[in-house]
Each structure stands twice: as structure tokens, then as C-alpha cells.
């Protein structure tokens, strides 16, 4: 049974039993405490917790999920994957234990011919919470399981909670017995891999507090509305139904594994090490495909860093299999074809997906080449000294260059040396500790969303700001310092929840409105407007006059000038996006934006920097669209209807069943957008591109001033041009050539100065050679040159002095200050190296004193630091080293 067929049967089964089929949410979670959607219940948390009223009594979904906390286990166990699909059925105060258990047993054991999953009841085991007699008795009554295959287990395995005060409850897990050849008898209680958990039924029935750990908490009582949350692992059911041993061999994953094995010339099943690498490749390619399809792009932070890590682990694994060239163009199309029947978007958006993936692979292959040079130098130095590759070098390669530690170990092993893994592990742990501390600090800064639970229960905030800039309303809630209060007094910062508002809450790239909220005897300045939970608009205000009380009349007033500027900027974002696609092609998708009055920023998918001519063309097309006075039309319609019209849905954005479509000039620009806009393109006024830059290997960013801010920018530039033309005494038309002439003169002067400086330093060669001192077996020249033009000047002088030392064991160490930083360069003669002097080691000695680093080969090396005042001390340390 194919994985997509299991998904279809699941949704069909529960839809026929009154469940609303909810499409999978994005892998990018709405929950600010989560980077990704990590479980099938995540999109339903607001309903399960009571924070937001559920729009249906019962629901079902097959949710895309990403978890990377066990990434090192991928490929080593039968069921550890970074991407997986969680099938779930949910009840919000409707059916409870009996319904959940009945549905589960019916779907699992109904024959395939009758639309079920066709499991043999003799292969199934069940666990329940040790004190949950009700669940035990229901399994006895609703299933054919004998009592010995219904096992009672403790809180650590069969009790669910979020780890925070709130809803919790016992759970019941369903296991499949793989058979005696896979492990010992005794059922799930043995915790043996023979028994595969396929379905977890959570009975959310209690309110808990004083949560100290997973097993230590206080039950306050039963919830007023009991909920059901279940999760079935689609991949686990698939590998059982397809008769294979693990999730890497199912229909959606195995094709990538086979193609990777073919490319590397390997046979799957012949080597445990190779098998693990092939599984990692198959899993991570699929995860990368699905993350890219949901708009995540590789970067050095957040979600983008996780994606980058997954893709680079694929490259690493292919190299360890012996395949060193680019492989993504072979692997990603295979994964696309395996996943497209379940997720058509991976085929529809594959052009974007593939370009982003292939660009990341090219970048990493170049990174590996750079890292190899550093590693080769470190290996040579360690081999010559009879030591290991320093742990800090291995960490530098890993952290800065993305060079996997496994490759560092492999290269070192080939050279017959080791790597100081203890130091490497220590530095890695320090990095993890910093990351955890940072994450904990950020988590502590987030407001407790439960404070909005009752407020959201009063209904959805009506946004009236599309049609009016002032709106009468009343105060439904006041929150100060995270606590609901009855009043907010003059001088306080408070959060206000109103029944209606004309003020736009930040979203879709558009910053929140500026304005005021006024009422009988009070005035409040609006500082921010946000949607902390779906459907609830919260105004952060500073009370500037009087006292605000609950249920008081309040009027929201939008700053007209600010909204006009915000409308211009948001419409300008759409105009520039359309111009980009006209110039660069339809592959240039928006990948993020931010706009506020007078300014817009747009990220888009493109690998190469834009030429000056291209930027000018985009700016011209944008302003021509403004001059053409194109009509701007906004309509609300069903999401499917909007897509049928060709409205562009942007990567990373989430849409409900009803959406707003914004047309500028009809089909010229047609996008889904909930922001505010001008009535016609001429109202934008003017667009002035001020910046174009890279925001990753596959994304570029343009920034623009809009409207009156664009005019001000042009006026400022005109004033600068006039000042330069006046100061240089040339007409404006000749200004560029005049500046170019001056630049050429300046460069020529700098070259003459550098030549004179080199000549001056060269004249010091006899003096330096004459000042050589005998230290141990070496003739040593060491001196501080003071301020120099560049490190190249010192290097040239060092080589000339070394040539004059002849055949004797000689060492030359010269230092100076270049650009405000200390530079030290060492060189050794052939006889000096035979006597044990190594230039790379000597500059590292000096660099430690100077507060920096350095390295190089035995004959010539360079180091530096931060404190020029310590140059004399650094040279003295080198002399002490040679004497020793």
C-alpha cells in the first residue's frame, strides 16, 4: 500500500465519520515558541487549549512535520526521520475515549478491500496509563485484544502534557509486533524495537499546575470540555504495509536512496556504514525538498540554518561514499517524483526549489575547497610537529567554513595523525550552551498567550480599516505587564483589546499603523498593533491622558499621513515585484518583505547580483507603472477561486479559506494580500531603488524609498552633485570624468608612495643583516619596523634578508604596524629548517602575545593580532622560543 494511499484512506475514513478535513499547515509554525511544525496537533493547539474557539467539533488532517533534535540518529534506526507525516483525528468537546478507541480499532483492523488499513489484530498491542481503568475497559469491550496485550504503563510513557500549566491527560498507544525475529517477547513494556508504536491517542481531560517535570505536577481538576488529540505515523504504517524494514525503504524515500547508491557506485545492504549514509541522503533530500516548498531558504540562522545543515549533510554523506561532484540535480528530481502525488506543490514550484538547492550545493562545494586548504596546512603543521590537528582549528573549519568534522577526521586519518577532539567537543558544547541560553532568554521574553484566552473567547476583533480611518468601539480587555486589569492609568503602557478597530495590525510585511485611541476622559498613543493569536487584535498604547476602563467607549483614529505613506509603500512592493518578474522572469518569486510609510524592502529568489542596467530597468518599469495610473482593485473570495484567477500566493505566507486579492493593472500584478493599498498606482508617487544586496546564496534584496521620501532622496543627491560640481569647478555633465581623473591620479600617487616605501625598507637590508644575533644554533634577525604600508612590504623585506643569510641556519622575524594592526612575518633558511626552526610555529608564538592568530608553512609564515604595543614583547617571545 503506497504512502499516498494510506493518507487518502485516513482522510476518507474520518470525513465519512463527520470530521472536517483540514489541509496540512506549513512546516513553518505559527507558534512563536516553535521553529517548525513538529507534530500533527500543533496547528490545533489554539483550539485544544481553548485559546481560540474551534471552528468545528471534530477534525482530521495529515500534517507535514520536521524534527531535527535527533538528527544524529537518522539512518541508524528504523524510524528516525527529520521529515515525517502525522495523521491525526481531533475532537473539541465532542467524542472522547470511547469514540477515539473505537475509530482507531475500526480503521486499523477493517480489511483493505473495505477501505481500512487491514492490520491483523493478532499483530497489535496496546498500552494505557496505569491508573486509566476506563481506557483499559474500553479496549476490552471495543477490540478483540486479550487482556495480556493491553499493558498498563506509567506517566513517563503514557501521560501527555505540554510541560507547562494547562491541559493534560492520559494516553493510549497502539503498537505493531514486527515478529520474534526482531526482538524479545513481552510487548511494548519491554521497550524493545520489535514493537513499533504506530498510533497515540491522547485523552485531554485534566487541568494541571505546578509542573516540575514530565511526571511531577498537580491535577487541579477535569477540563470543562474534554478533547481528543491523536497521531498516527504515516511512514511507520507505510513501512509495515509495504513489507520493508524501515522508513527509508518506503515508496516516498527509497527512490532517492537507490539513485544515490547508483551515483556512488554502492550496493545498498553491503555495508552498514554506507547504508547509514544512503539513508541520511534519502531522508535529508526529502526534508530539504519539503522545506524549500514551504518557502524556507538556506541561511546562517533560524530555519534557514536547519535547512542548510540538512543539505550540507547530504553533500558530506555523498563525499564519504566517494562521490565528490554535484549530486542534487540527480537526487532532487527523484524526490519530487516520489512526493508529488501527495504534495503537488513540489512539482509546481520545483523550478524555485531546484535553483535554491543547486545553488546551496555549489556554494558548499566551494566552501569545502576553501576549508580543504586550511585543513591541509593544519595537517602539514601537525604532522611536522608530531602532534594532532588542533581542536580549535577543527572547530573553526566546522563553525566558520561549514566543514564537517567527519571530513576533518578522515583527512587527518589519511595523513596518519589525529584531531584534538576533546577541545573540539568543548568548543561545540560552549556553542550549544550559548544557543540554549539565547533560546531560553528569547522564550522568557515571549508573553504568556493564555492571558488572551478569555478575550479571544469574546469573539474576533473586527478590522474596519480598509474602508475607514476612524472607528467607534468599546474596550473588551486591558492587559498591563502580562496581567489582565480593570483600568490603565495615565503614563502606563498597556495592551487594549477592542471589539472593532480601524488600526492595521502588523502582518504580511506591512508595519502596524500609527494613531491614537480616545474615549471619555482619556487619550492613548498607539505604539504597536499585533495579532498574538488568530482573530485577536491587540493595541499596545501609552496612556497620555486620564484612565481607561473596561467596557468604556473608545474610538480608534489612524494617523492619516502615516496610513497614506503605508498604502504607498505596500502598493510599491507589489509594483516592484511585478517589475522584477518582468525583467528577471517568473522565477523571481517574492521571498519576504517589509514596508512602512516611505520605505519598502523586498526579498526575492535570484542567485546573481543585479547589474546597474538591470536595477535601472526595474526602477524605470516601476515608475512607468505609477505614471500609467493603473487601477488598484481589491476583492475578497475563496482561496481556490483566487488561485484559479492566477493570483500569486507567496512562499512562507499562510492563507485561510477566504482571501483578499489585490490587482494592479489587472493581471499585470495580481497577488493574495491582506494589507492596505492605494486606489490607483499614480498615488504611489515615486519609487527610488536605493540598495540591492545578497541575503543568502539564493535570495537577493532590493530596498526602495517611496513617495515623498523618494523625492527627498533625489533632492539630497542633487544637492551633493551641485556641491561637487561647484567645488571641482566643472559643469555637472563633466563631473563623472573629473572624479575618475582624480581617482586615477590618486592611485598613481599611491603606487609611487608604495614604491618609495619599498625602496626605503630595502635600504635597511644591510643594516638588518649586520644586526643578526646568535641564538642557540641559529643566526637570528628580529626587528620591529614601525609603521609600514602593508604586510606585503614586510614580506618582501623578510625574503631579501633571508637571501643574505646564505647557507647557515637562519631565522628572520620582522614585525610592523599596518593599518593600525600588528603584523609579524617569519622566514627560515633551509639549514634553519633542518635544525628545527619552523616559521609557522614561530608566528603562532608571536600571535598569541599580539592577541590574534597566524600560520603558514615551515619556510614562510604570517601572523597578526590586535595590540601593536606588544610587538616588542612578541619578538622577545620568539627569541626565547629559539633559545629553548
Amino acid at each position: 500500500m503506497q504512502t499516498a494511499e494510506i493518507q487518502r484512506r485516513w482522510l476518507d475514513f474520518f470525513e465519512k465519520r463527520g470530521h472536517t478535513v483540514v489541509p496540512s499547515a506549513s512546516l513553518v509554525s505559527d507558534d512563536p515558541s516553535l521553529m517548525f511544525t513538529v507534530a500533527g496537533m500543533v496547528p490545533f493547539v489554539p483550539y485544544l487549549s481553548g485559546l481560540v474557539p474551534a471552528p468545528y467539533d471534530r477534525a482530521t488532517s495529515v500534517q507535514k512535520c520536521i524534527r531535527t533534535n535527533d538528527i544524529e540518529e537518522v539512518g541508524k534506526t528504523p524510524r528516525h526521520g527529520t521529515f515525517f507525516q502525522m495523521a491525526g483525528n481531533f475532537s473539541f468537546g465532542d467524542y472522547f475515549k470511547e469514540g477515539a478507541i473505537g475509530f482507531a480499532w475500526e480503521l486499523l483492523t477493517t480489511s483493505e478491500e473495505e477501505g481500512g488499513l487491514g492490520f491483523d489484530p493478532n499483530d497489535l498491542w496496546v498500552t494505557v496509563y496505569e491508573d486509566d481503568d476506563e481506557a483499559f475497559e474500553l479496549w476490552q469491550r471495543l477490540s478483540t485484544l486479550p487482556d495480556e496485550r493491553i499493558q498498563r504503563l506509567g506517566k513517563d510513557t503514557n501521560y501527555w502534557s505540554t510541560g507547562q500549566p494547562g491541559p493534560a491527560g492520559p494516553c493510549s498507544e497502539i503498537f505493531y509486533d514486527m515478529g520474534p525475529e526482531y526482538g524479545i517477547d513481552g510487548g511494548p513494556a519491554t521497550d524493545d524495537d520489535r514493537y513499533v508504536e504506530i498510533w497515540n491517542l491522547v485523552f485531554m481531560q485534566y487541568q494541571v499546575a505546578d509542573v516540575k517535570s514530565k511526571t511531577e505536577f498537580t491535577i487541579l481538576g477535569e477540563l470543562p470540555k474534554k478533547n481528543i488529540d491523536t497521531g498516527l505515523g504515516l511512514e511507520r504504517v507505510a513501512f509495515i504495509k509495504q513489507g520493508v524494514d524501515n522508513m527509508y525503504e518506503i515508496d516516498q524515500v527509497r527512490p532517492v536512496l537507490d539513485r544515490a547508491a547508483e551515483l556512488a557506485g554502492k550496493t545498498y545492504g553491503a555495508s552498514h556504514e554506507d547504508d547509514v549514509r544512503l539513508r541520511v541522503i534519502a531522508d535529508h533530500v526529502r526534508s530539504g525538498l519539503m522545506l524549500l516548498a514551504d518557502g524556507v531558504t538556506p541561511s546562517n540562522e533560524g530555519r534557514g540554518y536547519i535547512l542548510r545543515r540538512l543539505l550540507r549533510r547530504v553533500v558530506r554523506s555523498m563525499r564519504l561514499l566517494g562521490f565528490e561532484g554535484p549530486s542534487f540535480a540527480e537526487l532532487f528530481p527523484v524526490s519530487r517524483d516520489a512526493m508529488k502525488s501527495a504534495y503537488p506543490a513540489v512539482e509546481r514550484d520545483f523550478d524555485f526549489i531546484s535553483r535554491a538547492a543547486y545553488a546551496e550545493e555549489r556554494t558548499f562545494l566551494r566552501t569545502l575547497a576553501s576549508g580543504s586548504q586550511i585543513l591541509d596546512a593544519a595537517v602539514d603543521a601537525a604532522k611536522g610537529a608530531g602532534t594532532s590537528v588542533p581542536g580549535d582549528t577543527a572547530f573553526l573549519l566546522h563553525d566558520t567554513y561549514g566543514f564537517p568534522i567527519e571530513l576533518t577526521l578522515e583527512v587527518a586519518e589519511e595523513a596518519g595523525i589525529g584531531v584534538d577532539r576533546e577541545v573540539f567537543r568543548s568548543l561545540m558544547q560552549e556553542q550549544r550552551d550559548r544557543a540554549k541560553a539565547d533560546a531560553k532568554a528569547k522564550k522568557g521574553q515571549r508573553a504568556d498567550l493564555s492571558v488572551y484566552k478569555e478575550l479571544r473567547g469574546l469573539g474576533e476583533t473586527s478590522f474596519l480599516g480598509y474602508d475607514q480611518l476612524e472607528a467607534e468601539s468599546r474596550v473588551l480587555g486591558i492587559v498591563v505587564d502580562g496581567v489582565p486589569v480593570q483600568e490603565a492609568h495615565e503614563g502606563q503602557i498597556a495592551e487594549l483589546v477592542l471589539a472593532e478597530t480601524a488600526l492595521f495590525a502588523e502582518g504580511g510585511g506591512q508595519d502596524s499603523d500609527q494613531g491614537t485611541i480616545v474615549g471619555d476622559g482619556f487619550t492613548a498613543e498607539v505604539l504597536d498593533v499585533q495579532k498574538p493569536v488568530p482573530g485577536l487584535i491587540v493595541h499596545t498604547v501609552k496612556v497620555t491622558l486620564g484612565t481607561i476602563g473596561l467596557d468604556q467607549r473608545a474610538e480608534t483614529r489612524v494617523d492619516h499621513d502615516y496610513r497614506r505613506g503605508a498604502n504607498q509603500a505596500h502598493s510599491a512592493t507589489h509594483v516592484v515585484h511585478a517589475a522584477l518578474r518582468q525583467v528577471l522572469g517568473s522565477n523571481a518569486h517574492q521571498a519576504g518583505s517589509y514596508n512602512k510609510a516611505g520605505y519598502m524592502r523586498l526579498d526575492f529568489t535570484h542567485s546573481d547580483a543585479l547589474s546597474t542596467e538591470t536595477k535601472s530597468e526595474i526602477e524605470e518599469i516601476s515608475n512607468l507603472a505609477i505614471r500609467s495610473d493603473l487601477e488598484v482593485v481589491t476583492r475578497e473570495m475563496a482561496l481556490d477561486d483566487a488561485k484559479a484567477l492566477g493570483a500569486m500566493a507567496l512562499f512562507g505566507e499562510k492563507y485561510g479559506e477566504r482571501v483578499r486579492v489585490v490587482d494592479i493593472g489587472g493581471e499585470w500584478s495580481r497577488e493574495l494580500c491582506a494589507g492596505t493599498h492605494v486606489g490607483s498606482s499614480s498615488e504611489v508617487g515615486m519609487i527610488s531603488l536605493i540598495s540591492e544586496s545578497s541575503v543568502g546564496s539564493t535570495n537577493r534584496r532590493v530596498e526602495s524609498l517611496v513617495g515623498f521620501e523618494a523625492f527627498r532622496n533625489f533632492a539630497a543627491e542633487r544637492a551633493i552633485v551641485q556641491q561637487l560640481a561647484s567645488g571641482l569647478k566643472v559643469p555637472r555633465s563633466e563631473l563623472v570624468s573629473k572624479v575618475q581623473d582624480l581617482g586615477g591620479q590618486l592611485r598613481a600617487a599611491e603606487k609611487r608612495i608604495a614604491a618609495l616605501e619599498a625602496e626605503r625598507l630595502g635600504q635597511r637590508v644591510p643594516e638588518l643583516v649586520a644586526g643578526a644575533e646568535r641564538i642557540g644554533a641559529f643566526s637570528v634577525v628580529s626587528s620591529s619596523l614601525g609603521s609600514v604600508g602593508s604586510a606585503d612590504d614586510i614580506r618582501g623585506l623578510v625574503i631579501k634578508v633571508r637571501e643574505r643569510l646564505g647557507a647557515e641556519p637562519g631565522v628572520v622575524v620582522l614585525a610592523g604596524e599596518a593599518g593600525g594592526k600588528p603584523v609579524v612575518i617569519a622566514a627560515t633558511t633551509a639549514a634553519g629548517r633542518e635544525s628545527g626552526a619552523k616559521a609557522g610555529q614561530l608566528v603562532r608564538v608571536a600571535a598569541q602575545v599580539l592577541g590574534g592568530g597566524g600560520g603558514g608553512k615551515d619556510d614562510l609564515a604570517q601572523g597578526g593580532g590586535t595590540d601593536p604595543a606588544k610587538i616588542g614583547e612578541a619578538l622577545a617571545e620568539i627569541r626565547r622560543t629559539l633559545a629553548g
Side-chain angles (χ1 to χ4, degrees):
M1 188 183 294
Q2 299 291 287
T3 309
E5 174 62 14
I6 299 169
Q7 175 180 340
R8 188 197 65 76
R9 287 179 182 235
W10 174 278
L11 296 175
D12 184 59
F13 176 89
F14 282 104
E15 185 177 26
K16 287 177 178 177
R17 286 152 184 80
H19 293 67
T20 298
V21 175
V22 179
S24 173
S26 170
L27 287 168
V28 179
S29 174
D30 281 331
D31 188 334
S33 67
L34 295 173
M35 193 175 291
F36 295 114
T37 302
V38 296
M41 53 86 72
V42 168
F44 299 97
V45 166
Y47 312 142
L48 292 168
S49 64
L51 189 62
V52 177
Y56 23 66
D57 291 333
R58 49 177 76 179
T60 186
S61 70
V62 176
Q63 175 61 47
K64 300 176 291 185
C65 302
I66 285 280
R67 288 184 195 168
T68 58
N69 53 319
D70 291 331
I71 194 170
E72 299 299 337
E73 296 303 311
V74 172
K76 299 175 183 176
T77 72
R79 45 190 180 270
H80 268 100
T82 52
F83 173 85
F84 61 97
Q85 300 157 88
M86 186 66 76
N89 58 290
F90 306 88
S91 165
F92 310 103
D94 188 12
Y95 62 84
F96 197 48
K97 291 182 185 179
E98 182 169 359
I101 291 171
F103 287 145
W105 186 254
E106 181 184 1
L107 176 57
L108 287 175
T109 59
T110 298
S111 68
E112 292 184 16
E113 293 73 20
E114 295 175 303
L117 295 179
F119 278 92
D120 185 339
N122 293 321
D123 293 329
L124 299 178
W125 290 69
V126 165
T127 63
V128 298
Y129 176 53
E130 57 192 356
D131 295 334
D132 193 353
D133 295 332
E134 180 186 6
F136 189 93
E137 291 164 3
L138 284 169
W139 277 113
Q140 286 180 310
R141 178 161 59 86
L142 297 174
S143 76
T144 59
L145 292 171
D147 289 359
E148 61 270 18
R149 281 200 276 129
I150 308 172
Q151 297 185 323
R152 295 178 184 261
L153 298 179
K155 280 183 181 177
D156 57 333
T157 59
N158 280 68
Y159 207 97
W160 177 89
S161 78
T162 63
Q164 302 290 329
C171 60
S172 179
E173 297 178 335
I174 305 170
F175 291 79
Y176 177 80
D177 181 0
M178 296 285 287
E181 63 273 27
Y182 286 88
I184 61 175
D185 291 330
T190 63
D191 198 27
D192 191 83
D193 283 345
R194 167 177 169 175
Y195 304 94
V196 178
E197 179 199 337
I198 56 174
W199 202 341
N200 186 16
L201 317 177
V202 174
F203 310 129
M204 211 175 289
Q205 71 184 103
Y206 297 113
Q207 184 79 17
V208 298
D210 302 326
V211 180
K212 296 182 178 63
S213 70
K214 187 176 180 179
T215 59
E216 295 178 280
F217 47 79
T218 301
I219 297 177
L220 300 179
E222 293 204 344
L223 292 168
K225 292 180 70 173
K226 299 174 184 176
N227 300 323
I228 288 294
D229 154 32
T230 87
L232 172 139
L234 210 63
E235 281 77 9
R236 297 186 181 190
V237 172
F239 83 68
I240 293 169
K241 296 302 294 180
Q242 292 173 24
V244 294
D245 288 340
N246 55 66
M247 63 166 288
Y248 314 104
E249 298 176 19
I250 66 172
D251 61 297
Q252 289 185 345
V253 185
R254 179 65 186 259
V256 179
L257 186 154
D258 288 339
R259 184 63 183 132
E262 185 181 352
L263 289 173
K266 302 290 183 179
T267 301
Y268 183 62
S271 160
H272 173 71
E273 274 194 350
D274 288 347
D275 287 353
V276 169
R277 290 164 185 159
L278 289 167
R279 292 169 189 161
V280 167
I281 291 164
D283 172 84
H284 288 7
V285 166
R286 184 169 74 143
S287 298
L289 175 85
M290 301 307 295
L291 283 169
L292 286 161
D294 273 358
V296 181
T297 54
S299 70
N300 284 330
E301 58 183 21
R303 300 179 181 95
Y305 177 75
I306 299 298
L307 172 59
R308 171 161 285 170
R309 186 183 180 199
L310 291 169
L311 296 180
R312 292 187 169 193
R313 279 171 60 90
V314 174
V315 175
R316 181 199 75 191
S317 297
M318 288 299 294
R319 285 174 69 94
L320 292 175
L321 287 170
F323 187 88
E324 298 195 356
S327 62
F328 284 9
E330 298 289 338
L331 301 177
F332 270 80
V334 175
S335 188
R336 172 203 62 198
D337 293 343
M339 296 299 294
K340 66 185 182 183
S341 61
Y343 300 99
V346 300
E347 182 173 38
R348 184 188 67 230
D349 300 325
F350 190 70
D351 184 67
F352 160 78
I353 293 167
S354 59
R355 283 190 301 107
Y358 302 167
E360 178 64 18
E361 183 181 36
R362 288 194 299 270
T363 299
F364 186 46
L365 288 173
R366 288 195 298 269
T367 294
L368 286 173
S370 301
S372 294
Q373 294 175 4
I374 295 171
L375 179 56
D376 289 344
V379 167
D380 288 344
K383 194 172 182 181
T387 61
S388 298
V389 173
D392 55 354
T393 301
F395 180 75
L396 171 73
L397 286 164
H398 166 83
D399 192 51
T400 303
Y401 292 90
F403 202 86
I405 184 61
E406 288 84 356
L407 285 179
T408 300
L409 292 168
E410 185 179 23
V411 172
E413 185 179 350
E414 289 172 356
I417 61 174
V419 176
D420 190 341
R421 298 207 66 180
E422 187 175 339
V423 171
F424 175 81
R425 280 193 292 264
S426 175
L427 291 169
M428 284 294 293
Q429 190 58 50
E430 287 177 17
Q431 185 186 65
R432 292 189 191 101
D433 292 343
R434 286 194 298 271
K436 286 179 182 177
D438 182 54
K440 188 175 181 181
K442 289 178 180 176
K443 187 175 181 180
Q445 292 166 5
R446 288 192 292 269
D448 181 1
L449 297 183
S450 64
V451 73
Y452 305 116
K453 178 179 177 179
E454 292 184 9
L455 295 171
R456 181 60 181 82
L458 298 175
E460 190 168 337
T461 309
S462 297
F463 175 63
L464 309 177
Y466 289 128
D467 305 311
Q468 58 195 76
L469 298 183
E470 297 179 358
E472 291 283 343
S473 188
R474 62 188 180 90
V475 180
L476 299 181
I478 305 172
V479 177
V480 175
D481 295 330
V483 178
V485 297
Q486 296 294 310
E487 294 180 334
H489 303 284
E490 189 171 321
Q492 281 188 310
I493 304 293
E495 293 177 299
L496 301 184
V497 175
L498 311 175
E500 301 89 13
T501 184
L503 290 152
F504 183 83
E506 180 179 353
Q510 182 173 335
D511 207 347
S512 61
D513 270 333
Q514 294 180 3
T516 56
I517 299 176
V518 299
D520 296 333
F522 76 83
T523 302
E525 176 191 359
V526 176
L527 305 177
D528 192 16
V529 189
Q530 295 288 334
K531 290 183 177 179
V533 295
L536 189 72
I537 296 177
V538 176
H539 311 76
T540 301
V541 303
K542 181 177 182 180
V543 185
T544 55
L545 176 68
T547 298
I548 307 175
L550 282 177
D551 209 36
Q552 209 169 344
R553 186 195 68 80
E555 182 180 21
T556 54
R557 298 177 180 175
V558 179
D559 182 314
H560 290 215
D561 288 339
Y562 186 85
R563 173 65 78 82
R564 184 184 300 111
N567 291 348
Q568 290 175 316
H570 204 150
S571 295
T573 305
H574 288 224
V575 169
V576 172
H577 188 205
L580 279 165
R581 290 171 62 79
Q582 186 171 324
V583 173
L584 302 177
S586 59
N587 293 333
H589 285 280
Q590 180 175 328
S593 67
Y594 172 72
N595 53 78
K596 62 179 181 178
Y599 169 84
M600 59 139 287
R601 180 183 75 214
L602 178 68
D603 296 346
F604 58 99
T605 55
H606 194 67
S607 301
D608 302 320
L610 304 185
S611 67
T612 301
E613 294 75 15
T614 300
K615 287 184 284 187
S616 295
E617 185 179 1
I618 291 166
E619 188 176 59
E620 183 175 346
I621 290 172
S622 299
N623 283 294
L624 283 173
I626 292 170
R627 190 184 72 175
S628 299
D629 195 27
L630 303 175
E631 185 180 14
V632 179
V633 177
T634 59
R635 295 170 287 169
E636 186 174 309
M637 62 182 69
L639 177 60
D640 289 342
D641 293 340
K643 288 182 176 178
L645 275 176
M648 191 177 302
L650 303 181
F651 282 114
E653 290 291 329
K654 302 175 179 63
Y655 303 98
E657 293 181 5
R658 302 287 296 175
V659 294
R660 285 175 65 84
V661 178
V662 177
D663 290 351
I664 300 178
E667 293 183 3
W668 187 75
S669 169
R670 177 170 288 160
E671 297 186 19
L672 304 183
C673 181
T676 64
H677 289 273
V678 297
S680 65
S681 63
S682 62
E683 295 178 32
V684 172
M686 184 186 297
I687 289 173
S688 172
L689 292 183
I690 57 172
S691 171
E692 190 268 342
S693 59
S694 170
V695 285
S697 59
T698 57
N699 285 350
R700 307 294 299 179
R701 170 175 292 171
V702 290
E703 296 178 87
S704 176
L705 297 177
V706 181
F708 197 64
E709 291 301 318
F711 167 76
R712 282 177 172 160
N713 183 58
F714 280 124
E717 289 183 351
R718 181 181 60 192
I720 293 170
V721 170
Q722 289 173 342
Q723 288 175 354
L724 287 171
S726 175
L728 296 173
K729 295 182 173 56
V730 295
R732 191 170 67 173
S733 59
E734 297 177 14
L735 184 59
V736 173
S737 61
K738 181 65 175 179
V739 171
Q740 288 174 341
D741 287 344
L742 289 173
Q745 293 173 28
L746 178 60
R747 287 189 292 274
E750 288 173 342
K751 285 182 180 179
R752 287 195 297 273
I753 292 169
L756 289 171
E757 179 66 19
E759 183 180 348
R760 182 185 68 81
L761 287 173
Q763 291 170 355
R764 296 189 60 181
V765 171
E767 167 200 341
L768 291 168
V769 172
E773 57 183 316
R774 176 64 57 178
I775 301 178
F778 307 102
S779 177
V780 179
V781 175
S782 66
S783 181
S784 174
L785 304 175
S787 180
V788 296
S790 70
D792 289 340
D793 294 333
I794 304 176
R795 185 180 296 105
L797 186 58
V798 164
I799 292 171
K800 288 178 181 177
V801 173
R802 180 177 63 179
E803 290 171 353
R804 296 285 291 273
L805 291 180
E808 64 179 316
V811 175
V812 183
V813 184
L814 299 180
E817 183 179 342
K821 297 289 182 66
V823 177
V824 59
I825 296 179
T828 58
T829 64
R833 292 191 292 278
E834 289 174 6
S835 298
K838 295 179 174 58
Q841 288 182 336
L842 294 175
V843 297
R844 279 194 286 272
V845 168
Q848 286 182 342
V849 177
L850 296 171
K857 296 186 178 179
D858 292 349
D859 63 329
L860 184 67
Q862 177 177 327
T866 58
D867 189 354
K870 291 187 175 181
I871 285 177
E873 184 182 337
L875 293 175
E877 188 62 31
I878 285 180
R879 288 193 288 270
R880 281 193 291 271
T881 300
L882 289 168

